Amino acid sequence: MYTPDRIFFEKEALNFPLGKKLLERFRREGKAVKYTSSHNRVTALPGDTPAQKFVEAKRTLVVGVRRTLNFAGCKPSAHYQLPLATGCPGQCQYCYLHTTLGPRPYLRLYVNIEEILERADRYISNRLPEETVFEGSATSDPLAIEQYSGSLARTIEFFSRREKGFFRFATKQTNVESLLKIKHNGKTKVRFSINTPKIVAEYERGVPAPGKRIRAALEMKSAGYPVGFLLAPVFIYKGWEKEYMDLLREIASLWKTVPSPEKNNDLITFEIIAHRFTARGKKNILSLFPGSSLPLEEKKRRFKYGQFGYGKYLYTPDIYKKLEELFIPAVSDLFPGGKVEYIV
Ligand code: SF4
């Protein structure tokens, strides 16, 4: 479980009950606590090389206030992002945070969770009578700091009482115990991000093993949550089809063994996200992981502008066709009633 080595508090965070509680807790635990006027001023982290600075930033937690309460869009998984936290302690080479957080990948925990949820209520009201779906992991893995924030539990309970609001989050973490007994009313869906043994071994660091993620998924299923998996990012390499099929078969054999107490929550979903990269992400990746074997050749990819204005290098359309041909029939054969939500 994530334990930061150093913690910064924005002074304003101490105006909120969670900020005060965390300060007491960290002091009790003998942690090094410093103050900062803004997270943008967290600069003097140890480390001589970009790689050392990266590791030290991942061990740094900033307890602060989420000031921007305008939620960004979140296609294709939801209508809006729900900003519960920023950053992730994992050190996956392919991570999208290399683009969005760049050289400052420290974790940020927001203490003004009630203000964030109040704003979510306004977004829900504005779209009535339609349902509004919120994604809690667009800029973080919020489960990684749940032992400090409690924000996921609070958010799950909030959405359990919203008829027209639905919450989703994705994770590679497995510390789900605190979420198993709370009331969710089936209004929160959790998806576990998973990949083939080769990709995990080559590119993932600092995250629980895939077998543990699958077990955590089964625990959430047995607590009645809607559960899915993200196959992300899918890479094309020698033998990729067999390895992804083996992974689906492994999930299928375990999935059957655990019933869900809730009607229809046996219906598993998959989101398939093919590998992509940005120019900024590539630059950061190569400075942090020199000699990385990640496939980052622009000329083998298709360039496309994304929803946040920067371009991405995607696999070519023939590859996407192969992904559809592989995953859609496989999911329907192995998981009766389950489905692929999207392939992007
Ligand atoms: Fe990035 Fe996800 Fe890995 Fe965290 S677990 S480093 S968010 S890819």
Side-chain angles (χ1 to χ4, degrees):
M1 205 179 291
Y2 176 63
T3 316
D5 283 352
R6 68 190 69 79
I7 299 128
F8 288 85
F9 274 78
E10 292 175 7
K11 289 245 166 73
E12 223 183 318
L14 299 175
N15 298 333
F16 294 82
L18 178 57
K20 283 189 196 132
K21 200 171 101 188
L22 284 172
L23 181 63
E24 280 165 25
R25 172 174 173 176
F26 289 133
R27 280 193 174 143
R28 229 181 16 250
E29 292 175 357
K31 297 272 183 212
V33 171
K34 290 187 178 161
Y35 297 94
T36 176
S37 51
S38 155
H39 79 92
N40 290 321
R41 312 224 167 210
V42 177
T43 48
L45 295 179
D48 297 326
T49 63
Q52 286 168 355
K53 283 183 195 295
F54 172 77
V55 170
E56 294 300 336
K58 292 273 180 177
R59 293 178 180 151
T60 304
L61 177 68
V62 179
V63 178
V65 175
R66 175 76 186 189
R67 292 183 180 86
T68 314
L69 290 175
N70 292 330
F71 298 172
C74 197
K75 289 180 200 161
S77 81
H79 295 105
Y80 296 106
Q81 301 182 7
L82 188 71
L84 298 178
T86 301
C88 169
Q91 297 175 24
C92 307
Q93 288 191 24
Y94 55 67
C95 183
Y96 66 103
L97 297 175
H98 296 307
T99 295
T100 55
L101 299 185
R104 290 188 188 154
Y106 44 76
L107 279 81
R108 294 173 62 198
L109 177 161
Y110 301 123
V111 294
N112 55 332
I113 177 72
E114 299 306 324
E115 289 180 353
I116 294 166
L117 293 175
E118 269 168 35
R119 185 56 68 97
D121 252 344
R122 276 171 47 190
Y123 279 97
I124 293 171
S125 299
N126 289 344
R127 280 181 38 86
L128 288 174
E130 301 300 318
E131 183 180 66
T132 304
V133 182
F134 297 85
E135 170 66 62
S137 36
T139 58
S140 71
D141 186 333
L143 189 55
I145 52 169
E146 180 66 6
Q147 64 276 24
Y148 299 115
S149 69
S151 297
L152 274 178
R154 174 71 190 99
T155 302
I156 290 167
E157 283 171 343
F158 170 90
F159 278 97
S160 76
R161 298 189 301 274
R162 297 298 179 286
E163 193 194 342
K164 294 292 184 177
F166 193 87
F167 178 54
R168 298 158 63 87
F169 71 95
T171 187
K172 281 195 185 85
Q173 299 295 322
T174 56
N175 51 311
V176 294
E177 302 74 28
S178 64
L179 309 181
L180 296 177
K181 296 267 160 58
I182 61 177
K183 189 168 176 194
H184 58 77
N185 272 343
K187 302 301 298 284
T188 290
K189 176 167 194 164
V190 54
R191 301 102 78 215
F192 288 83
S193 173
I194 196 144
N195 223 311
T196 63
K198 175 184 161 65
I199 298 305
V200 170
E202 282 191 30
Y203 304 127
E204 295 186 2
R205 294 288 179 277
V207 286
K212 291 185 178 167
R213 294 177 222 163
I214 297 173
R215 281 203 291 282
L218 297 177
E219 284 182 76
M220 290 296 271
K221 182 187 177 192
S222 68
Y225 284 90
V227 176
F229 285 90
L230 277 165
L231 294 183
V234 172
F235 287 91
I236 307 302
Y237 58 92
K238 194 166 180 285
W240 69 278
E241 286 119 317
K242 180 180 179 309
E243 291 203 11
Y244 282 103
M245 283 311 99
D246 288 347
L247 183 59
L248 287 183
R249 280 189 208 102
E250 183 189 349
I251 297 170
S253 68
L254 294 164
W255 190 253
K256 289 181 216 144
T257 62
V258 176
S260 170
E262 299 293 328
K263 192 165 165 261
N264 286 336
N265 285 1
D266 268 334
L267 301 183
I268 191 170
T269 57
F270 288 87
E271 292 150 77
I272 316 284
I273 303 178
H275 178 246
R276 71 268 324 274
F277 62 92
T278 64
R280 184 176 187 224
K282 176 175 175 177
K283 193 165 160 258
N284 284 328
I285 289 165
L286 293 181
S287 86
L288 296 172
F289 310 101
S292 169
S293 63
L294 275 173
L296 300 171
E297 281 177 84
E298 292 84 351
K299 64 178 187 305
K300 294 193 174 163
R301 299 295 182 106
R302 177 171 68 98
F303 184 76
K304 190 181 171 213
Y305 278 104
Q307 59 177 312
F308 298 110
Y310 47 77
K312 303 173 197 187
Y313 292 92
L314 307 174
Y315 278 119
T316 48
D318 57 312
I319 300 282
Y320 277 89
K321 191 157 180 286
K322 284 186 185 166
L323 296 177
E324 283 172 19
E325 286 169 359
L326 184 72
F327 286 114
I328 293 175
V331 165
S332 113
D333 286 352
L334 289 166
F335 303 93
K339 68 170 183 182
V340 173
E341 287 193 328
Y342 56 80
I343 299 178
V344 291

